[in-house]
Coordinates of all heavy atoms in Angstrom, one line a residue:
M48 N -84.8 45.3 -117.9 CA -85.7 45.8 -116.9 C -86.2 44.7 -116.0 O -86.3 44.8 -114.7 CB -86.9 46.5 -117.5 CG -86.6 47.8 -118.2 SD -87.9 48.4 -119.3 CE -89.2 48.6 -118.1
H98 N -65.2 36.4 -102.3 CA -64.6 37.6 -101.9 C -64.1 37.7 -100.5 O -64.5 36.8 -99.7 CB -65.5 38.8 -102.2 CG -66.8 38.8 -101.4 ND1 -67.9 38.0 -101.7 CD2 -67.1 39.4 -100.2 CE1 -68.8 38.2 -100.8 NE2 -68.4 39.0 -99.9
F104 N -65.5 41.0 -83.5 CA -66.1 40.6 -82.3 C -65.5 41.5 -81.2 O -64.4 41.4 -80.8 CB -65.7 39.1 -81.9 CG -66.4 38.1 -82.8 CD1 -66.0 38.0 -84.2 CD2 -67.4 37.3 -82.3 CE1 -66.6 37.0 -85.0 CE2 -68.0 36.3 -83.2 CZ -67.6 36.2 -84.5
I197 N -64.2 34.6 -97.7 CA -63.2 34.3 -96.7 C -63.2 35.4 -95.7 O -62.9 36.5 -96.1 CB -61.8 34.1 -97.4 CG1 -61.9 32.7 -98.2 CG2 -60.7 34.1 -96.4 CD1 -60.6 32.3 -98.9

Side-chain angles (χ1 to χ4, degrees):
M48 290 168 61
H98 63 278
F104 290 72
I197 288 186

